[in-house]
């Protein structure tokens, strides 16, 4: 038997076990069972390898999270050392561990001004869920128990638990679980490319920001707890607000005493060229949520950061705070996150994302704008989006939104590139460690796959 055949049999066995017993996130299982899942077995730097030995350049850093690239010895070592030293202990009942104490200090050093107390969870969804509980508790302590409604945005992604999915504004996430829960409402988002029509991006930014003010006035400011938003909406299609959007949001939140909870799960840890999206857009959040890049995905860990107002109120309460996970501040996850942040600092990955690496990425991205199928490219730092359109001038998309994007994504997989399709918006978010020659390879493949998609459509 040839070696390829042996590998294929192994792959087939994994696919069969998987199809029989594994419920996948965001997957149509009926469709997957017919095809068999792609089995990823190994990763190094910016490359993934599947069980058939095929190499893929990962233009998405996993799920927007592998800031320092795959297979880092330092992180394996940090995890191994912590596993041997203190494999587990909890932080309940007035106990802590060295790793979580040092990680908290490190986060206080790098987080946006004023954010200096941290609660640890295991995922971004749990972070947002916890943030909602903290904010409810805050308003109760403030003697304003009516301030309970959370306003988020259409096309927002804040995770999948009952509360995080209720905050999310991707409406396809709601009906299966009868969401959103009561008390979660959504306002417009600054998606100029899809919805801006004849307006300029700035006009659209201002009008969509003011939809928050209208909603607050409609609900009564005395009933609104917080506005929750990503600096740049990620899973909603890489929606980058114009410069006037965030200052207007900040003004509205202040005016009506609505807390601003910024979901930094994608934008945090250098992705936008500064430590946090809040830094890039000049946002002064009351609270932030972090996950993904916090550990570069090497361990499941998330953190909710509290600013002074909320932090002082919660820390000075006489009550026991009735919240926390068995694994909140897990020593191994904290050790790995700490080592990850040390790599980000030592290798100046934030400075590079905001400097040479980011500049090269944005230059290569912008070069795709001349393609006949591309209606716009946009990006910040190491985030990039490519809009596939029917009409470059009017921004009209192909009918049956998502079909062309899926076609392009399938070409990418076949050609050895991971580029995500959100509708017909192709999205890139590579590891911050990506080199110029790797970026050149990535964008050459991206162009080739957009060409192949154009050929499918009969354009060339
Ligand atoms: C991924 C993501 C989440 C959810 O994180 P999980 O770890 O998948 O629960 C929350 N918010 C944003 C902005 C995200 O991108």
């Amino acid at each position: 038997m040839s070696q390829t055949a042996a590998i294929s049999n192994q792959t087939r066995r994994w696919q069969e076990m998987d199809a029989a017993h594994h419920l996948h996130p965001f997957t149509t299982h009926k469709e997957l069972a017919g095809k068999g899942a792609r089995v990823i077995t190994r990763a190094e730097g910016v490359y993934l390898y599947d069980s058939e030995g095929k190499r893929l350049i990962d233009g998405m850093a996993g799920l927007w999270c592998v800031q320092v690239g795959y297979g880092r010895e330092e992180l394996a070592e940090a995890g191994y050392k912590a596993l041997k030293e203190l494999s587990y202990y909890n932080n309940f009942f007035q106990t802590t561990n060295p790793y979580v104490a040092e990680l908290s200090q490190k986060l206080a050093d790098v987080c946006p001004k004023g954010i200096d107390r941290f609660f640890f969870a295991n995922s971004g969804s749990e972070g947002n869920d916890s943030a909602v509980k903290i904010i409810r508790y805050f308003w109760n302590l403030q003697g304003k128990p009516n301030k309970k409604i959370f306003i988020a945005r259409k096309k927002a992604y804040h995770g999948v638990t009952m509360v995080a999915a209720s905050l999310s504004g991707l409406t396809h996430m709601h009906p299966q679980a009868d969401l959103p829960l009561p008390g979660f409402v959504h306002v417009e988002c600054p998606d100029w490319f899809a919805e801006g029509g004849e307006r300029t991006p700035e006009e659209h930014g201002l009008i969509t920001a003011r939809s928050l003010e209208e909603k607050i006035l409609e609900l009564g400011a005395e009933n609104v707890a917080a506005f929750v938003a990503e600096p740049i909406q990620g899973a909603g299609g890489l929606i980058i607000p114009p410069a006037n959007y965030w200052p207007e949001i900040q003004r509205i939140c202040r005016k009506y005493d609505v807390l601003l909870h910024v979901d930094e799960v994608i934008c945090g840890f250098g992705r936008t060229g500064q430590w946090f999206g809040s830094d890039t857009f000049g946002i002064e959040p009351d609270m932030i949520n972090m996950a993904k890049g916090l550990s570069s995905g090497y361990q499941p860990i998330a953190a909710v950061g509290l600013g002074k107002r909320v932090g002082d109120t919660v820390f000075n309460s006489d009550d026991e705070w009735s919240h926390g996970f068995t694994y909140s501040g897990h020593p191994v996850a904290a050790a790995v996150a700490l080592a990850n942040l040390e790599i980000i600092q030592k290798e100046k990955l934030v400075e590079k994302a905001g400097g040479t690496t980011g500049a090269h990425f944005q230059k290569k991205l912008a070069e795709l704008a001349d393609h006949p199928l591309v209606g716009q490219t946009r990006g910040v730092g190491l985030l990039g989006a490519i809009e596939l359109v029917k009409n470059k001038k009017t921004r009209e998309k192909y009918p049956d939104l998502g079909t062309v994007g899926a076609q392009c994504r399938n070409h990418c997989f076949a050609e050895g590139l991971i580029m995500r399709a959100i509708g017909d918006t192709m999205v890139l978010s590579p590891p911050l460690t990506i080199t110029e020659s790797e970026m050149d390879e990535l964008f050459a493949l991206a162009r080739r796959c957009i060409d192949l998609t154009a050929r499918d459509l009969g354009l060339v």
Side-chain angles (χ1 to χ4, degrees), residues 407-447:
Q407 246 168 307
C408 182
R409 183 200 52 212
N410 293 343
H411 282 303
C412 291
F413 272 124
E415 298 293 318
L417 166 66
I418 294 191
M419 178 156 72
R420 179 158 164 182
I422 299 172
D424 292 336
T425 310
M426 306 309 296
V427 176
L428 290 166
S429 170
L432 307 186
T433 48
I434 192 166
T435 64
E436 290 205 358
S437 64
E438 287 163 347
M439 285 189 264
D440 294 347
E441 179 194 346
L442 186 159
F443 281 103
L445 281 171
R447 179 175 286 274

Side-chain angles (χ1 to χ4, degrees), residues 42 99 245 263 358 364 384 454:
R42 196 165 71 79
Y99 310 101
Y245 178 83
D263 189 344
K364 300 299 292 185

Side-chain angles (χ1 to χ4, degrees), residues 217-271:
L217 292 170
E218 176 196 320
L219 296 166
E222 68 283 7
N223 300 314
V224 179
F227 178 61
V228 179
E230 305 150 83
I232 292 172
Q233 285 170 264
L238 207 76
I239 301 163
I240 304 173
N244 59 353
Y245 178 83
W246 272 108
E248 184 66 5
I249 291 288
Q250 188 87 58
R251 177 192 71 79
I252 295 165
C253 287
R254 288 220 180 94
K255 177 167 179 192
Y256 298 99
D257 198 21
V258 165
L259 291 179
L260 178 55
H261 173 53
V262 176
D263 189 344
E264 292 273 8
V265 169
I266 286 176
C267 293
F269 307 103
R271 180 57 61 197

Side-chain angles (χ1 to χ4, degrees), residues 63-64 122-128 157-161 164 230 232 234-235 263-267 289 291-292 301-302:
L63 281 176
W64 330 74
N122 310 295
S123 70
S125 303
E126 289 177 358
N128 279 325
Y157 185 74
H158 298 296
V160 295
T161 57
E230 305 150 83
I232 292 172
D263 189 344
E264 292 273 8
V265 169
I266 286 176
C267 293
N289 186 34
K292 298 195 169 119
I301 184 168

Side-chain angles (χ1 to χ4, degrees), residues 14 97 153 201 301 441 449 455:
W14 281 326
N97 66 65
R153 293 179 296 181
I301 184 168
E441 179 194 346
C449 295
R455 196 191 62 188

Side-chain angles (χ1 to χ4, degrees), residues 101-123:
E102 288 182 26
L103 178 60
S104 301
Q105 175 65 59
K106 177 72 84 186
L107 284 174
D109 294 343
V110 301
C111 272
K113 196 168 134 266
I115 303 289
D116 72 348
R117 287 163 168 142
F118 304 93
F119 170 74
F120 293 95
N122 310 295
S123 70

Side-chain angles (χ1 to χ4, degrees), residues 155-171:
K155 301 187 186 179
Y157 185 74
H158 298 296
V160 295
T161 57
M162 292 292 279
V163 159
S166 294
L167 287 170
S168 295
L170 292 163
T171 48

